Amino acid sequence: MKKIILLVVVCLSFLSCAEKKKEQVPPAKAPFSDVDTLAINDWWNRADNPIINLKVNRDSVIAFGIYTVSGTTLKLSAQCYPLYPEETRTVRLEIKENGTWTEVQSQQLNDLGWSALFRVENWDSSQDLKYRLRHGEKARYEGTIRKNPMHKAEISLAALSCNSNQDRGMRENYVRNINHQDPDLIFFAGDQSYDHTEHTAAWLKFGLQFRETFRHRPCITIPDDHDIGQGNLWGENGKVSVTKGSPDGGYRYHPEYVKMVERCQTAHLPDPFDPTPIEQGIGVYYTNLVWGGVDFAILEDRKFKSGPEGKIPQQGPRPDHIRNPDYDPASIDLPELKLLGERQLHFLKTWGETNTDATKVVLSQTGFCGGAHIHGTMDNRLHADLDSNGWPQTGRKKALELIQQANAVHIAGDQHLATVIKQGINEFGDGPWAFVVPAIVNDYYSRWWWPEDEKAGNNPNPNTSLPWTGDYLDGFHNKISMKAYVNPESPSHGGGYGLIRFNTQTQDVTFECWPRNADVTQPDAQQFEGWPMTVSLKNN
């Protein structure tokens, strides 16, 4: 009896010491102290996160998985909630074959961002396979690795951007609609997070909102300016930004924070074309993905772009906003300014000259022209917005020439304002088609296409009642042909998404633009005015 009592006392003492050890664990040494504070250090002792509950039951610590398959390589990121110090950092990947789950790999989570990357070579993409992520004894997450739809005549892509934090709710309409339309893959063009200094919580929130759209299909995600903690980004090859608002170019926050964001959002993409880091050791992810006969080039259109401050005269309330009706657009197109940068131009050229039988598509963060006149509020009419990729004009021209030589269409986000534009390089209409998709939630910062003279351009679109379509010069005197747009006062506006259908046999591309509140399961569901629109890449 004495031995039993002694054993109980020893066990209780051990448990007490273990509990004290848990309480007294020193905080992890974070390489940044002013960002992501609610998901690092002693996160469990901090106030509840206002974005999302981080203190979940331990059987729910795996939030989601996200993946792509490129050739015979599967890359899948497991995203977890923050873990306690004593919890294992190991996540296991299992595949179900012939009714049996088999572990194929285990990986370690990174305490900064709480993600782990699985890379499986010699992947068989000829069949659908169930996968399962496991942590500890109880936490599980299941999904499907889709087979490559190589023999389908039509490949479809759902495209979304700008997941405003003005609405913290779930995204049930999007999930219902996208799963009903069943695209072959999904693309999030940026601003998955608007919570600048709390990316982990916001990324987890995004995952909860949208994971049912990518649980069973490949997904491309690329971060934009808000994701890495800035209102605007001119990356300038990774230099440090020291000016409020960062118009001087570069990154405001610690490079480890930037790398964490890019690791969580892009590690599952195919390997980068050229993985050489930029300044501060920040990585790159520009690459391409071939899926079902469509070859997608994935760009980083802000990472190398020049910042305006100190390079051109300020002609408005901000270095990037020109509000001067007498300014000369040619005066701000200086030879040393960059848009995509030489590395990405080389990538685009190489990409365009290979796999030429495929349907070609360029995916990026924002559009390659100034596609809006009014920003934020109706009294904020700008003559030019240097955050758009209409500037610098020479850099835009180089990019569009390579996209056109590849006979590619361009899909982007960022602007909140949905548009279909036929780009002009030297003449109206001699460039690629471009579809900028609407914001997921459009009550954060609206934009309007609204020419000051309110005149329709030459060659207006005869298939829509929209008043201002046709050929225009944007604020940089770039030639653009506006085919359709969705201003904030449009019926059913409040957000939406794009669905793009690529017919790999006829080389027709159909742009669809769906309001957030549409129910595509109903036969009377209506798209925004001006859509759908079908264009041909034959002899484009």
Side-chain angles (χ1 to χ4, degrees), residues 258-302:
V258 177
K259 290 193 287 185
M260 177 194 75
V261 171
E262 294 191 351
R263 180 170 60 247
C264 289
Q265 295 208 24
T266 71
H268 69 286
L269 299 181
D271 295 344
F273 177 78
D274 173 6
T276 306
I278 57 174
E279 293 180 37
Q280 301 190 76
I282 295 170
V284 298
Y285 57 83
Y286 63 91
T287 185
N288 76 300
L289 171 66
V290 181
W291 194 246
V294 180
D295 193 346
F296 297 93
I298 303 167
L299 297 183
E300 303 183 68
D301 40 320
R302 302 199 193 273

mmCIF file of all heavy atoms in Angstrom, residues 258-302:
data_model
loop_
_atom_site.group_PDB
_atom_site.id
_atom_site.type_symbol
_atom_site.label_atom_id
_atom_site.label_comp_id
_atom_site.label_asym_id
_atom_site.label_seq_id
_atom_site.Cartn_x
_atom_site.Cartn_y
_atom_site.Cartn_z
ATOM 1 N N VAL A 258 8.049 38.487 -44.487
ATOM 2 C CA VAL A 258 7.724 38.368 -45.905
ATOM 3 C C VAL A 258 7.920 36.933 -46.368
ATOM 4 O O VAL A 258 7.077 36.362 -47.069
ATOM 5 C CB VAL A 258 8.585 39.338 -46.745
ATOM 6 C CG1 VAL A 258 8.291 39.168 -48.236
ATOM 7 C CG2 VAL A 258 8.347 40.782 -46.321
ATOM 8 N N LYS A 259 9.020 36.325 -45.952
ATOM 9 C CA LYS A 259 9.290 34.942 -46.355
ATOM 10 C C LYS A 259 8.253 33.986 -45.764
ATOM 11 O O LYS A 259 7.876 33.000 -46.411
ATOM 12 C CB LYS A 259 10.698 34.536 -45.938
ATOM 13 C CG LYS A 259 11.781 35.236 -46.754
ATOM 14 C CD LYS A 259 13.146 34.607 -46.572
ATOM 15 C CE LYS A 259 13.758 34.909 -45.235
ATOM 16 N NZ LYS A 259 15.139 34.374 -45.132
ATOM 17 N N MET A 260 7.801 34.262 -44.556
ATOM 18 C CA MET A 260 6.764 33.435 -43.946
ATOM 19 C C MET A 260 5.479 33.494 -44.769
ATOM 20 O O MET A 260 4.857 32.465 -45.052
ATOM 21 C CB MET A 260 6.482 33.897 -42.520
ATOM 22 C CG MET A 260 5.361 33.144 -41.816
ATOM 23 S SD MET A 260 4.797 33.977 -40.321
ATOM 24 C CE MET A 260 3.839 35.324 -41.024
ATOM 25 N N VAL A 261 5.073 34.711 -45.153
ATOM 26 C CA VAL A 261 3.856 34.869 -45.951
ATOM 27 C C VAL A 261 3.989 34.105 -47.264
ATOM 28 O O VAL A 261 3.086 33.360 -47.671
ATOM 29 C CB VAL A 261 3.577 36.355 -46.220
ATOM 30 C CG1 VAL A 261 2.442 36.525 -47.223
ATOM 31 C CG2 VAL A 261 3.254 37.084 -44.911
ATOM 32 N N GLU A 262 5.104 34.275 -47.937
ATOM 33 C CA GLU A 262 5.282 33.613 -49.227
ATOM 34 C C GLU A 262 5.393 32.100 -49.057
ATOM 35 O O GLU A 262 4.941 31.338 -49.922
ATOM 36 C CB GLU A 262 6.501 34.183 -49.940
ATOM 37 C CG GLU A 262 6.317 35.642 -50.325
ATOM 38 C CD GLU A 262 7.383 36.161 -51.262
ATOM 39 O OE1 GLU A 262 8.392 35.440 -51.491
ATOM 40 O OE2 GLU A 262 7.223 37.285 -51.776
ATOM 41 N N ARG A 263 5.982 31.651 -47.953
ATOM 42 C CA ARG A 263 6.057 30.205 -47.700
ATOM 43 C C ARG A 263 4.656 29.616 -47.539
ATOM 44 O O ARG A 263 4.329 28.586 -48.131
ATOM 45 C CB ARG A 263 6.902 29.942 -46.458
ATOM 46 C CG ARG A 263 7.045 28.478 -46.101
ATOM 47 C CD ARG A 263 8.098 28.274 -45.020
ATOM 48 N NE ARG A 263 7.800 28.965 -43.791
ATOM 49 C CZ ARG A 263 8.489 29.994 -43.295
ATOM 50 N NH1 ARG A 263 9.527 30.481 -43.977
ATOM 51 N NH2 ARG A 263 8.155 30.552 -42.151
ATOM 52 N N CYS A 264 3.820 30.273 -46.741
ATOM 53 C CA CYS A 264 2.467 29.760 -46.507
ATOM 54 C C CYS A 264 1.631 29.778 -47.782
ATOM 55 O O CYS A 264 0.856 28.855 -48.031
ATOM 56 C CB CYS A 264 1.771 30.575 -45.419
ATOM 57 S SG CYS A 264 2.421 30.293 -43.756
ATOM 58 N N GLN A 265 1.783 30.822 -48.583
ATOM 59 C CA GLN A 265 0.891 30.995 -49.733
ATOM 60 C C GLN A 265 1.420 30.402 -51.036
ATOM 61 O O GLN A 265 0.620 30.126 -51.943
ATOM 62 C CB GLN A 265 0.589 32.482 -49.948
ATOM 63 C CG GLN A 265 -0.185 33.126 -48.816
ATOM 64 C CD GLN A 265 -1.034 34.294 -49.283
ATOM 65 O OE1 GLN A 265 -1.401 34.389 -50.446
ATOM 66 N NE2 GLN A 265 -1.363 35.193 -48.369
ATOM 67 N N THR A 266 2.735 30.189 -51.155
ATOM 68 C CA THR A 266 3.257 29.801 -52.474
ATOM 69 C C THR A 266 4.161 28.577 -52.468
ATOM 70 O O THR A 266 4.577 28.132 -53.543
ATOM 71 C CB THR A 266 4.049 30.955 -53.119
ATOM 72 O OG1 THR A 266 5.292 31.147 -52.409
ATOM 73 C CG2 THR A 266 3.257 32.253 -53.098
ATOM 74 N N ALA A 267 4.475 28.010 -51.304
ATOM 75 C CA ALA A 267 5.389 26.865 -51.290
ATOM 76 C C ALA A 267 4.854 25.694 -52.093
ATOM 77 O O ALA A 267 5.625 24.892 -52.627
ATOM 78 C CB ALA A 267 5.667 26.433 -49.843
ATOM 79 N N HIS A 268 3.523 25.581 -52.193
ATOM 80 C CA HIS A 268 2.922 24.462 -52.914
ATOM 81 C C HIS A 268 2.897 24.661 -54.423
ATOM 82 O O HIS A 268 2.455 23.763 -55.156
ATOM 83 C CB HIS A 268 1.489 24.236 -52.411
ATOM 84 C CG HIS A 268 0.544 25.334 -52.780
ATOM 85 N ND1 HIS A 268 0.576 26.569 -52.162
ATOM 86 C CD2 HIS A 268 -0.440 25.398 -53.711
ATOM 87 C CE1 HIS A 268 -0.365 27.338 -52.703
ATOM 88 N NE2 HIS A 268 -0.987 26.660 -53.644
ATOM 89 N N LEU A 269 3.339 25.819 -54.916
ATOM 90 C CA LEU A 269 3.381 26.045 -56.353
ATOM 91 C C LEU A 269 4.533 25.257 -56.969
ATOM 92 O O LEU A 269 5.470 24.864 -56.273
ATOM 93 C CB LEU A 269 3.546 27.536 -56.653
ATOM 94 C CG LEU A 269 2.442 28.472 -56.166
ATOM 95 C CD1 LEU A 269 2.754 29.908 -56.578
ATOM 96 C CD2 LEU A 269 1.075 28.052 -56.686
ATOM 97 N N PRO A 270 4.502 25.025 -58.285
ATOM 98 C CA PRO A 270 5.651 24.382 -58.927
ATOM 99 C C PRO A 270 6.938 25.149 -58.643
ATOM 100 O O PRO A 270 6.917 26.343 -58.319
ATOM 101 C CB PRO A 270 5.285 24.428 -60.415
ATOM 102 C CG PRO A 270 3.799 24.485 -60.442
ATOM 103 C CD PRO A 270 3.402 25.298 -59.236
ATOM 104 N N ASP A 271 8.060 24.474 -58.764
ATOM 105 C CA ASP A 271 9.347 25.101 -58.473
ATOM 106 C C ASP A 271 9.528 26.371 -59.299
ATOM 107 O O ASP A 271 9.130 26.416 -60.478
ATOM 108 C CB ASP A 271 10.486 24.142 -58.791
ATOM 109 C CG ASP A 271 10.476 22.914 -57.903
ATOM 110 O OD1 ASP A 271 9.786 22.942 -56.860
ATOM 111 O OD2 ASP A 271 11.138 21.926 -58.254
ATOM 112 N N PRO A 272 10.125 27.414 -58.716
ATOM 113 C CA PRO A 272 10.319 28.661 -59.460
ATOM 114 C C PRO A 272 11.246 28.470 -60.651
ATOM 115 O O PRO A 272 12.126 27.604 -60.656
ATOM 116 C CB PRO A 272 10.926 29.613 -58.419
ATOM 117 C CG PRO A 272 11.422 28.741 -57.325
ATOM 118 C CD PRO A 272 10.598 27.513 -57.320
ATOM 119 N N PHE A 273 11.027 29.278 -61.670
ATOM 120 C CA PHE A 273 11.834 29.233 -62.893
ATOM 121 C C PHE A 273 13.303 29.477 -62.575
ATOM 122 O O PHE A 273 14.190 28.786 -63.089
ATOM 123 C CB PHE A 273 11.305 30.280 -63.873
ATOM 124 C CG PHE A 273 12.083 30.382 -65.151
ATOM 125 C CD1 PHE A 273 11.910 29.445 -66.151
ATOM 126 C CD2 PHE A 273 12.983 31.428 -65.358
ATOM 127 C CE1 PHE A 273 12.634 29.539 -67.347
ATOM 128 C CE2 PHE A 273 13.698 31.531 -66.543
ATOM 129 C CZ PHE A 273 13.530 30.581 -67.543
ATOM 130 N N ASP A 274 13.578 30.450 -61.745
ATOM 131 C CA ASP A 274 14.936 30.769 -61.289
ATOM 132 C C ASP A 274 14.831 31.095 -59.812
ATOM 133 O O ASP A 274 14.342 32.162 -59.445
ATOM 134 C CB ASP A 274 15.497 31.958 -62.065
ATOM 135 C CG ASP A 274 16.839 32.455 -61.517
ATOM 136 O OD1 ASP A 274 17.391 31.811 -60.595
ATOM 137 O OD2 ASP A 274 17.329 33.492 -62.005
ATOM 138 N N PRO A 275 15.267 30.182 -58.919
ATOM 139 C CA PRO A 275 15.029 30.370 -57.485
ATOM 140 C C PRO A 275 15.965 31.348 -56.788
ATOM 141 O O PRO A 275 15.879 31.508 -55.570
ATOM 142 C CB PRO A 275 15.236 28.956 -56.935
ATOM 143 C CG PRO A 275 16.242 28.345 -57.855
ATOM 144 C CD PRO A 275 15.917 28.904 -59.224
ATOM 145 N N THR A 276 16.829 32.030 -57.510
ATOM 146 C CA THR A 276 17.791 32.937 -56.885
ATOM 147 C C THR A 276 17.064 33.982 -56.044
ATOM 148 O O THR A 276 16.198 34.705 -56.550
ATOM 149 C CB THR A 276 18.626 33.651 -57.963
ATOM 150 O OG1 THR A 276 19.229 32.677 -58.812
ATOM 151 C CG2 THR A 276 19.694 34.512 -57.306
ATOM 152 N N PRO A 277 17.394 34.094 -54.748
ATOM 153 C CA PRO A 277 16.710 35.092 -53.903
ATOM 154 C C PRO A 277 17.033 36.507 -54.347
ATOM 155 O O PRO A 277 18.045 36.774 -55.001
ATOM 156 C CB PRO A 277 17.259 34.805 -52.498
ATOM 157 C CG PRO A 277 17.851 33.435 -52.574
ATOM 158 C CD PRO A 277 18.335 33.273 -53.983
ATOM 159 N N ILE A 278 16.170 37.425 -53.942
ATOM 160 C CA ILE A 278 16.427 38.842 -54.154
ATOM 161 C C ILE A 278 17.064 39.408 -52.887
ATOM 162 O O ILE A 278 17.512 38.659 -52.016
ATOM 163 C CB ILE A 278 15.130 39.582 -54.526
ATOM 164 C CG1 ILE A 278 14.052 39.400 -53.441
ATOM 165 C CG2 ILE A 278 14.606 39.073 -55.863
ATOM 166 C CD1 ILE A 278 12.798 40.229 -53.678
ATOM 167 N N GLU A 279 17.134 40.715 -52.765
ATOM 168 C CA GLU A 279 17.749 41.338 -51.591
ATOM 169 C C GLU A 279 17.046 40.903 -50.305
ATOM 170 O O GLU A 279 15.866 40.544 -50.304
ATOM 171 C CB GLU A 279 17.703 42.863 -51.723
ATOM 172 C CG GLU A 279 18.584 43.419 -52.839
ATOM 173 C CD GLU A 279 18.501 44.936 -52.930
ATOM 174 O OE1 GLU A 279 18.410 45.586 -51.866
ATOM 175 O OE2 GLU A 279 18.524 45.466 -54.061
ATOM 176 N N GLN A 280 17.761 40.945 -49.206
ATOM 177 C CA GLN A 280 17.314 40.551 -47.876
ATOM 178 C C GLN A 280 17.022 39.050 -47.786
ATOM 179 O O GLN A 280 16.425 38.579 -46.825
ATOM 180 C CB GLN A 280 16.068 41.322 -47.430
ATOM 181 C CG GLN A 280 16.234 42.832 -47.382
ATOM 182 C CD GLN A 280 15.051 43.477 -46.701
ATOM 183 O OE1 GLN A 280 14.918 43.431 -45.470
ATOM 184 N NE2 GLN A 280 14.162 44.067 -47.495
ATOM 185 N N GLY A 281 17.427 38.284 -48.811
ATOM 186 C CA GLY A 281 17.194 36.850 -48.798
ATOM 187 C C GLY A 281 15.756 36.459 -49.080
ATOM 188 O O GLY A 281 15.385 35.296 -48.883
ATOM 189 N N ILE A 282 14.943 37.405 -49.551
ATOM 190 C CA ILE A 282 13.549 37.105 -49.894
ATOM 191 C C ILE A 282 13.541 36.245 -51.153
ATOM 192 O O ILE A 282 14.273 36.495 -52.113
ATOM 193 C CB ILE A 282 12.759 38.409 -50.107
ATOM 194 C CG1 ILE A 282 12.682 39.187 -48.784
ATOM 195 C CG2 ILE A 282 11.362 38.129 -50.643
ATOM 196 C CD1 ILE A 282 12.133 40.594 -48.938
ATOM 197 N N GLY A 283 12.705 35.207 -51.152
ATOM 198 C CA GLY A 283 12.657 34.287 -52.280
ATOM 199 C C GLY A 283 11.794 34.793 -53.417
ATOM 200 O O GLY A 283 11.242 35.895 -53.385
ATOM 201 N N VAL A 284 11.669 33.955 -54.447
ATOM 202 C CA VAL A 284 10.796 34.234 -55.582
ATOM 203 C C VAL A 284 9.963 32.982 -55.836
ATOM 204 O O VAL A 284 10.318 31.886 -55.426
ATOM 205 C CB VAL A 284 11.593 34.606 -56.853
ATOM 206 C CG1 VAL A 284 12.398 35.875 -56.639
ATOM 207 C CG2 VAL A 284 12.501 33.454 -57.275
ATOM 208 N N TYR A 285 8.853 33.163 -56.550
ATOM 209 C CA TYR A 285 8.004 32.019 -56.850
ATOM 210 C C TYR A 285 7.493 32.016 -58.289
ATOM 211 O O TYR A 285 6.708 31.143 -58.661
ATOM 212 C CB TYR A 285 6.813 31.948 -55.882
ATOM 213 C CG TYR A 285 5.944 33.186 -55.843
ATOM 214 C CD1 TYR A 285 4.942 33.396 -56.783
ATOM 215 C CD2 TYR A 285 6.134 34.159 -54.862
ATOM 216 C CE1 TYR A 285 4.155 34.527 -56.754
ATOM 217 C CE2 TYR A 285 5.348 35.305 -54.825
ATOM 218 C CZ TYR A 285 4.356 35.474 -55.769
ATOM 219 O OH TYR A 285 3.574 36.615 -55.735
ATOM 220 N N TYR A 286 7.911 32.978 -59.134
ATOM 221 C CA TYR A 286 7.370 33.007 -60.493
ATOM 222 C C TYR A 286 7.734 31.707 -61.215
ATOM 223 O O TYR A 286 8.853 31.213 -61.145
ATOM 224 C CB TYR A 286 7.822 34.249 -61.251
ATOM 225 C CG TYR A 286 9.311 34.392 -61.489
ATOM 226 C CD1 TYR A 286 9.908 33.889 -62.641
ATOM 227 C CD2 TYR A 286 10.118 35.077 -60.574
ATOM 228 C CE1 TYR A 286 11.262 34.045 -62.876
ATOM 229 C CE2 TYR A 286 11.471 35.235 -60.800
ATOM 230 C CZ TYR A 286 12.042 34.716 -61.946
ATOM 231 O OH TYR A 286 13.389 34.859 -62.179
ATOM 232 N N THR A 287 6.727 31.154 -61.898
ATOM 233 C CA THR A 287 6.850 29.799 -62.421
ATOM 234 C C THR A 287 5.731 29.554 -63.413
ATOM 235 O O THR A 287 4.998 30.483 -63.768
ATOM 236 C CB THR A 287 6.776 28.787 -61.256
ATOM 237 O OG1 THR A 287 7.016 27.468 -61.750
ATOM 238 C CG2 THR A 287 5.410 28.804 -60.581
ATOM 239 N N ASN A 288 5.605 28.309 -63.870
ATOM 240 C CA ASN A 288 4.461 27.953 -64.708
ATOM 241 C C ASN A 288 3.903 26.610 -64.280
ATOM 242 O O ASN A 288 4.592 25.790 -63.663
ATOM 243 C CB ASN A 288 4.822 27.944 -66.193
ATOM 244 C CG ASN A 288 5.614 26.721 -66.595
ATOM 245 O OD1 ASN A 288 6.693 26.490 -66.087
ATOM 246 N ND2 ASN A 288 5.077 25.932 -67.518
ATOM 247 N N LEU A 289 2.637 26.403 -64.576
ATOM 248 C CA LEU A 289 1.918 25.179 -64.249
ATOM 249 C C LEU A 289 1.125 24.748 -65.473
ATOM 250 O O LEU A 289 0.318 25.515 -65.996
ATOM 251 C CB LEU A 289 0.970 25.410 -63.070
ATOM 252 C CG LEU A 289 -0.019 24.283 -62.749
ATOM 253 C CD1 LEU A 289 0.711 23.040 -62.268
ATOM 254 C CD2 LEU A 289 -1.039 24.737 -61.703
ATOM 255 N N VAL A 290 1.366 23.532 -65.933
ATOM 256 C CA VAL A 290 0.601 22.966 -67.043
ATOM 257 C C VAL A 290 -0.455 22.041 -66.466
ATOM 258 O O VAL A 290 -0.136 21.112 -65.708
ATOM 259 C CB VAL A 290 1.510 22.196 -68.015
ATOM 260 C CG1 VAL A 290 0.688 21.636 -69.184
ATOM 261 C CG2 VAL A 290 2.622 23.092 -68.542
ATOM 262 N N TRP A 291 -1.701 22.298 -66.814
ATOM 263 C CA TRP A 291 -2.810 21.501 -66.270
ATOM 264 C C TRP A 291 -3.858 21.335 -67.361
ATOM 265 O O TRP A 291 -4.453 22.297 -67.828
ATOM 266 C CB TRP A 291 -3.411 22.201 -65.047
ATOM 267 C CG TRP A 291 -4.318 21.348 -64.207
ATOM 268 C CD1 TRP A 291 -5.662 21.508 -64.009
ATOM 269 C CD2 TRP A 291 -3.950 20.194 -63.456
ATOM 270 N NE1 TRP A 291 -6.143 20.530 -63.177
ATOM 271 C CE2 TRP A 291 -5.102 19.702 -62.807
ATOM 272 C CE3 TRP A 291 -2.736 19.523 -63.250
ATOM 273 C CZ2 TRP A 291 -5.091 18.579 -61.993
ATOM 274 C CZ3 TRP A 291 -2.728 18.403 -62.435
ATOM 275 C CH2 TRP A 291 -3.894 17.950 -61.817
ATOM 276 N N GLY A 292 -4.021 20.088 -67.792
ATOM 277 C CA GLY A 292 -5.060 19.781 -68.762
ATOM 278 C C GLY A 292 -4.900 20.475 -70.100
ATOM 279 O O GLY A 292 -5.887 20.899 -70.693
ATOM 280 N N GLY A 293 -3.686 20.642 -70.594
ATOM 281 C CA GLY A 293 -3.489 21.287 -71.887
ATOM 282 C C GLY A 293 -3.456 22.793 -71.838
ATOM 283 O O GLY A 293 -3.392 23.447 -72.885
ATOM 284 N N VAL A 294 -3.511 23.378 -70.647
ATOM 285 C CA VAL A 294 -3.388 24.829 -70.474
ATOM 286 C C VAL A 294 -2.106 25.103 -69.694
ATOM 287 O O VAL A 294 -1.836 24.465 -68.670
ATOM 288 C CB VAL A 294 -4.595 25.424 -69.730
ATOM 289 C CG1 VAL A 294 -4.439 26.931 -69.570
ATOM 290 C CG2 VAL A 294 -5.892 25.094 -70.459
ATOM 291 N N ASP A 295 -1.309 26.020 -70.193
ATOM 292 C CA ASP A 295 -0.024 26.359 -69.588
ATOM 293 C C ASP A 295 -0.145 27.732 -68.926
ATOM 294 O O ASP A 295 -0.261 28.757 -69.613
ATOM 295 C CB ASP A 295 1.063 26.376 -70.665
ATOM 296 C CG ASP A 295 2.473 26.398 -70.089
ATOM 297 O OD1 ASP A 295 2.618 26.675 -68.886
ATOM 298 O OD2 ASP A 295 3.428 26.138 -70.852
ATOM 299 N N PHE A 296 -0.140 27.746 -67.597
ATOM 300 C CA PHE A 296 -0.308 28.975 -66.824
ATOM 301 C C PHE A 296 1.055 29.530 -66.402
ATOM 302 O O PHE A 296 1.813 28.845 -65.701
ATOM 303 C CB PHE A 296 -1.141 28.707 -65.570
ATOM 304 C CG PHE A 296 -2.544 28.244 -65.826
ATOM 305 C CD1 PHE A 296 -2.836 26.885 -65.888
ATOM 306 C CD2 PHE A 296 -3.569 29.153 -66.016
ATOM 307 C CE1 PHE A 296 -4.135 26.446 -66.115
ATOM 308 C CE2 PHE A 296 -4.864 28.726 -66.253
ATOM 309 C CZ PHE A 296 -5.155 27.365 -66.304
ATOM 310 N N ALA A 297 1.369 30.751 -66.809
ATOM 311 C CA ALA A 297 2.540 31.459 -66.292
ATOM 312 C C ALA A 297 2.105 32.261 -65.074
ATOM 313 O O ALA A 297 1.149 33.037 -65.136
ATOM 314 C CB ALA A 297 3.128 32.384 -67.352
ATOM 315 N N ILE A 298 2.796 32.065 -63.954
ATOM 316 C CA ILE A 298 2.449 32.721 -62.684
ATOM 317 C C ILE A 298 3.499 33.780 -62.408
ATOM 318 O O ILE A 298 4.674 33.468 -62.186
ATOM 319 C CB ILE A 298 2.392 31.685 -61.542
ATOM 320 C CG1 ILE A 298 1.396 30.568 -61.880
ATOM 321 C CG2 ILE A 298 2.038 32.365 -60.222
ATOM 322 C CD1 ILE A 298 1.503 29.351 -60.969
ATOM 323 N N LEU A 299 3.083 35.051 -62.443
ATOM 324 C CA LEU A 299 4.014 36.172 -62.327
ATOM 325 C C LEU A 299 4.010 36.775 -60.928
ATOM 326 O O LEU A 299 3.051 36.634 -60.167
ATOM 327 C CB LEU A 299 3.670 37.261 -63.341
ATOM 328 C CG LEU A 299 3.776 36.903 -64.822
ATOM 329 C CD1 LEU A 299 3.467 38.137 -65.663
ATOM 330 C CD2 LEU A 299 5.156 36.355 -65.161
ATOM 331 N N GLU A 300 5.092 37.492 -60.634
ATOM 332 C CA GLU A 300 5.187 38.366 -59.449
ATOM 333 C C GLU A 300 5.344 39.786 -59.970
ATOM 334 O O GLU A 300 6.446 40.312 -60.061
ATOM 335 C CB GLU A 300 6.380 37.977 -58.585
ATOM 336 C CG GLU A 300 6.371 36.536 -58.117
ATOM 337 C CD GLU A 300 7.542 36.239 -57.199
ATOM 338 O OE1 GLU A 300 7.570 36.779 -56.069
ATOM 339 O OE2 GLU A 300 8.426 35.471 -57.606
ATOM 340 N N ASP A 301 4.227 40.395 -60.327
ATOM 341 C CA ASP A 301 4.319 41.654 -61.050
ATOM 342 C C ASP A 301 4.636 42.847 -60.166
ATOM 343 O O ASP A 301 4.753 43.969 -60.666
ATOM 344 C CB ASP A 301 3.056 41.919 -61.879
ATOM 345 C CG ASP A 301 1.763 41.549 -61.183
ATOM 346 O OD1 ASP A 301 1.716 40.520 -60.506
ATOM 347 O OD2 ASP A 301 0.779 42.302 -61.327
ATOM 348 N N ARG A 302 4.818 42.646 -58.867
ATOM 349 C CA ARG A 302 5.204 43.765 -57.996
ATOM 350 C C ARG A 302 6.604 43.588 -57.401
ATOM 351 O O ARG A 302 7.160 44.543 -56.856
ATOM 352 C CB ARG A 302 4.195 43.906 -56.857
ATOM 353 C CG ARG A 302 2.748 44.119 -57.324
ATOM 354 C CD ARG A 302 1.924 44.691 -56.200
ATOM 355 N NE ARG A 302 0.504 44.650 -56.424
ATOM 356 C CZ ARG A 302 -0.191 45.597 -57.073
ATOM 357 N NH1 ARG A 302 0.432 46.616 -57.606
ATOM 358 N NH2 ARG A 302 -1.502 45.497 -57.202
#
